[in-house]
Amino acid sequence: MRNNFADTLYECGKENPRVAIVVADISPAGSMEKFRKEFPERFLNVGVAEQSMIGICAGMALKGLQPFAYTIATFALYRPFEFVRDDLGYQNLPVTVVGIGGGVVYSTLGGTHHCQEDIAIAGAIPNMSIIAPCDPLEARAATIYCAQQQKGPIYLRLGKAGEPVLTDKAVDPWQFGKIRYLQQGRDVCILSYGIIMKKAVELAAWLEQNGKSVSIVSVHTMKPLDRFGIEAALKSHRQVVVIEEHAPQGGLAAQTKQIAWDAKATCDLKTFSLQDEFIHNYGSHDDLLAAHGLDVAKISQQLGL
Amino acid sequence: MKAQGEAQSLDVAAARRRCLKFRRRILDISQTVSALHIAPAFSCIETVDLIYHGLMRWNDGKSPDTFIMSKGHGCMAQYVVLEAMGILSGEDLGKYCKPNGRLGAHPDYGVPGIAASTGSLGHGLPMAVGMAYAEKIKKTGGRVYAVLSDGEIQEGSTWEAFMMGSTLGVSNLVAFIDNNDFQSLGRTSETHPTFYPLTDKFRAFGWETIELNGHDAGGLFEAVMSREGKKPLAVICKTVKGRGVSYMENVPIWHYRAPNKDEYVKAINELVEVTA
């Protein structure tokens, strides 16, 4: 995913001389090196100094550039939070804050590197948009959008590297602010976003083996949330399942329940989020998700089939 | 900057007259609100006036240069200058901190003449570095001036930006530090003695650095114009908080208090041109 981001940013930077990237001693490999070599003035490394990373991006945007701030998600959003809020949100500047390793994908690095509250935190900032692509293709589409939009700040939550392509046969194209059906079914609808989408795909396969017709939806734009699209999904399926790699507060689970209440939805709604805990476990990404209760065996048991 | 052959100049006598008017105007406005930051504005008035009238280049009311009031609480000093220049109106200042007004106690980006929102300390210099860098790579020739408080230097983000400013070589950036030696809980030289010396710190971070009397507009102007200009410049302005009103000078309560009627009359009567 981060390689697709780098490839795409390089292309955007080649087309648009206003596109710049400011990193805090963390940089994607591959094409970013090409960006750095070809556009050295538009590749800045501030060092391990995330507050000024955001402030410098704000200053560049105030002078007409289109900067991306880039580092590990916890350091991109939490460490300089007040800079993101004041400099980017309050001034409503078109700066993209790229967080690598959203969720618990840095599964061996411990809680300091787990970004499990970011959607709630970024989403509470006025003017802030949030995009969380589920695969490298969505990461590409999102990066292109971020490089050209002038509406305001965006938090772009990415995974790391090596994620599978899940959207090459999607029913709908990627469009900012709209949910997207990766496949369309009739009985159960799975709503998810970010790299935990792989679990949604696994769960859909299990449900299909059990005779269900399943929709899989990528809610890649977490703010502004596509309320109409989610409401339609709630009304057109007997069961809706939310799977997210985020704390239970302020993410897709909580917001889908709010929409369901407002829409007087009658479907069965089940939500699965990370636990509201720091889990002192290590292992693979799947191991961490499982420790939080997010594996297909556990989820499927709770669907009441 | 001098090397670039700019016809910048400063009429020191006129600057003194303006600054006296600005102090009076701020005292007048103080009678319309319950509180405002008078003393932090009085310590940096000469600096702000110098930036607008001596350093920024103007053509038909527009400037290629940018000013950021990083010590946002000192914005009364900026508002009265912008009013005198016709960028803000008398009505704007009349509605300071009032419903339907557009001027609050901290600068708000989007208001005419305000280049960045400040108020939270430690934000102005990183933004100024980003602006100066953008001007540099866009080759606009634009310069960036920022006024920081000395208390603000305690913010880690300011040091991040000092380090990055010199790394990026933004010689088109000048940071004025309003060194009145006071912050909310006392005199900095007493509460945080290792805060000083400042010049050594800025030099160590790769900035050209000068220190001088911040109420001496002529001296400030000469110092800035005779800089070497190869690095970003830090100007440590030794100032007096509340300068111009005897009972406000170096008395912490006047950081935010507005004078009552009697205090106002006393202050107005004793204001004179500050000569240095």
Side-chain angles (χ1 to χ4, degrees):
Chain A
M1 196 175 266
R2 69 179 174 222
N3 296 331
N4 253 34
F5 166 77
D7 291 343
T8 310
L9 194 75
Y10 169 75
E11 290 169 26
C12 295
K14 200 164 186 171
E15 276 176 27
N16 182 354
R18 295 186 306 108
V19 170
I21 182 163
V22 182
V23 306
D25 204 36
I26 295 283
S27 177
S31 293
M32 197 46 68
E33 202 45 41
K34 224 162 35 169
F35 189 109
R36 187 180 189 162
K37 283 202 176 113
E38 286 187 34
F39 321 118
E41 290 189 322
R42 290 187 275 138
F43 179 96
L44 275 70
N45 176 14
V46 295
V48 190
E50 293 82 5
Q51 298 178 99
S52 61
M53 171 181 74
I54 301 296
I56 286 171
C57 281
M60 292 166 75
L62 283 163
K63 290 294 177 188
L65 299 181
Q66 186 91 8
F68 285 66
Y70 181 102
T71 185
I72 292 170
T74 47
F75 313 141
L77 183 64
Y78 301 170
R79 180 60 170 259
F81 174 75
E82 196 228 19
F83 289 74
V84 174
R85 177 189 179 271
D86 291 2
D87 298 357
L88 308 186
Y90 187 35
Q91 302 188 112
N92 200 19
L93 300 177
V95 174
T96 302
V97 178
V98 184
I100 285 289
V104 293
V105 68
Y106 284 129
S107 54
T108 60
L109 301 185
T112 56
H113 285 58
H114 295 166
C115 199
Q116 59 196 61
E117 321 87 343
D118 52 344
I119 304 294
I121 288 170
I125 302 172
N127 292 328
M128 180 65 73
S129 296
I130 303 173
I131 306 176
C134 72
D135 78 344
L137 298 182
E138 285 201 346
R140 176 177 169 75
T143 304
I144 292 170
Y145 175 80
C146 292
Q148 63 191 23
Q149 66 87 30
Q150 288 294 314
K151 278 168 59 175
I154 297 176
Y155 173 59
L156 177 58
R157 184 204 226 209
L158 299 182
K160 44 180 200 177
E163 288 87 356
V165 169
L166 303 173
T167 63
D168 51 339
K169 297 190 178 90
V171 178
D172 302 319
W174 190 94
Q175 190 186 344
F176 175 78
K178 296 283 177 212
I179 64 166
R180 177 188 196 198
Y181 281 80
L182 306 189
Q183 67 176 49
Q184 179 90 53
R186 294 178 308 279
D187 303 325
V188 182
C189 179
I190 306 172
L191 303 174
S192 190
Y193 61 93
I195 62 172
I196 199 176
M197 185 64 81
K198 63 185 177 183
K199 296 291 165 194
V201 172
E202 269 183 59
L203 180 65
W206 182 87
L207 286 164
E208 283 163 354
Q209 282 165 18
N210 285 273
K212 300 290 183 188
S213 169
V214 183
S215 294
I216 305 176
V217 170
S218 170
V219 188
H220 48 77
T221 304
M222 280 300 297
K223 188 186 176 189
L225 199 57
D226 180 4
R227 296 180 66 87
F228 286 121
I230 291 175
E231 189 176 325
L234 290 163
K235 290 193 166 167
S236 58
H237 296 82
R238 282 195 292 278
Q239 185 174 52
V240 173
V241 179
V242 175
I243 299 177
E244 69 176 336
E245 191 172 349
H246 186 269
Q249 302 88 347
L252 185 59
Q255 295 188 72
T256 302
K257 285 175 181 169
Q258 287 172 359
I259 294 168
W261 173 265
D262 292 344
K264 299 183 171 56
T266 56
C267 64
D268 178 54
L269 175 57
K270 295 270 194 306
T271 66
F272 300 91
S273 304
L274 296 175
Q275 301 299 305
D276 180 18
E277 292 178 43
F278 292 110
I279 292 189
H280 297 260
N281 281 38
Y282 306 93
S284 67
H285 185 217
D286 281 356
D287 291 332
L288 266 283
L289 292 175
H292 275 278
L294 298 177
D295 66 38
V296 169
K298 281 186 193 155
I299 291 171
S300 56
Q301 281 168 17
Q302 296 172 65
L303 294 185
L305 297 179
Chain B
M1 288 185 181
K2 199 179 188 179
Q4 294 173 36
E6 292 295 333
Q8 290 162 296
S9 63
L10 184 75
D11 177 340
V12 175
R16 287 175 185 162
R17 286 195 296 276
R18 281 196 301 272
C19 290
L20 174 60
K21 266 174 58 183
F22 294 148
R23 284 190 169 87
R24 282 188 178 136
R25 179 71 172 129
I26 291 171
L27 282 171
D28 287 347
I29 293 167
S30 78
Q31 297 305 288
T32 68
V33 290
S34 56
L36 82 173
H37 294 102
I38 294 181
F42 278 18
S43 70
C44 67
I45 278 188
E46 280 76 21
T47 309
V48 176
D49 176 74
L50 165 74
I51 291 169
Y52 277 101
H53 288 104
L55 299 177
M56 290 174 76
R57 298 159 293 173
W58 293 93
N59 191 5
D60 278 344
K62 288 186 177 164
S63 176
D65 305 323
T66 306
F67 171 62
I68 295 184
M69 191 62 153
S70 187
K71 51 170 281 187
H73 57 283
C75 64
M76 282 311 305
Q78 184 182 14
Y79 292 165
V80 292
V81 173
L82 290 173
E83 180 190 31
M85 296 177 75
I87 294 170
L88 290 174
S89 69
E91 190 187 352
D92 284 328
L93 272 79
K95 288 184 176 172
Y96 170 71
C97 288
K98 296 278 195 292
N100 306 318
R102 56 180 178 176
L103 301 181
H106 297 106
D108 190 1
Y109 173 60
V111 170
I114 303 300
S117 297
T118 53
S120 174
L121 298 176
H123 287 246
L125 195 63
M127 286 195 279
V129 168
M131 286 178 168
Y133 185 71
E135 301 286 25
K136 184 179 158 181
I137 66 171
K138 288 164 72 182
K139 299 182 171 57
T140 60
R143 299 166 190 163
V144 180
Y145 300 95
V147 170
L148 283 67
S149 75
D150 49 4
E152 177 171 21
I153 305 290
Q154 292 167 343
E155 294 282 4
S157 57
T158 301
W159 293 105
E160 290 182 12
F162 272 118
M163 185 172 64
M164 202 57 204
S166 52
T167 302
L168 291 172
V170 282
S171 56
N172 55 337
L173 172 59
V174 181
F176 294 87
I177 292 88
D178 183 16
N179 188 198
N180 56 37
D181 197 38
F182 268 91
Q183 49 192 121
S184 293
L185 294 186
R187 199 181 260 281
T188 310
S189 49
E190 290 167 6
T191 59
H192 299 81
T194 57
F195 181 77
Y196 296 100
L198 284 176
T199 45
D200 292 354
K201 292 185 176 74
F202 296 137
R203 281 188 190 132
F205 273 64
W207 285 53
E208 186 179 349
T209 306
I210 46 180
E211 178 175 305
L212 69 173
N213 181 341
H215 297 295
D216 176 8
L220 280 174
F221 179 74
E222 286 306 317
V224 173
M225 295 309 285
S226 58
R227 62 183 290 207
E228 284 178 25
K230 291 178 185 155
K231 300 173 176 177
L233 174 66
V235 184
I236 299 165
C237 304
K238 305 302 280 185
T239 57
V240 176
K241 194 158 180 174
R243 179 69 197 263
V245 179
S246 59
Y247 64 85
M248 290 185 183
E249 289 187 0
N250 296 333
V251 178
I253 192 175
W254 295 104
H255 177 75
Y256 191 52
R257 194 181 147 189
N260 63 29
K261 185 72 188 162
D262 291 343
E263 290 162 340
Y264 163 77
V265 171
K266 185 171 188 297
I268 284 287
N269 286 337
E270 69 172 63
L271 274 182
V272 291
E273 285 181 19
V274 172
T275 51

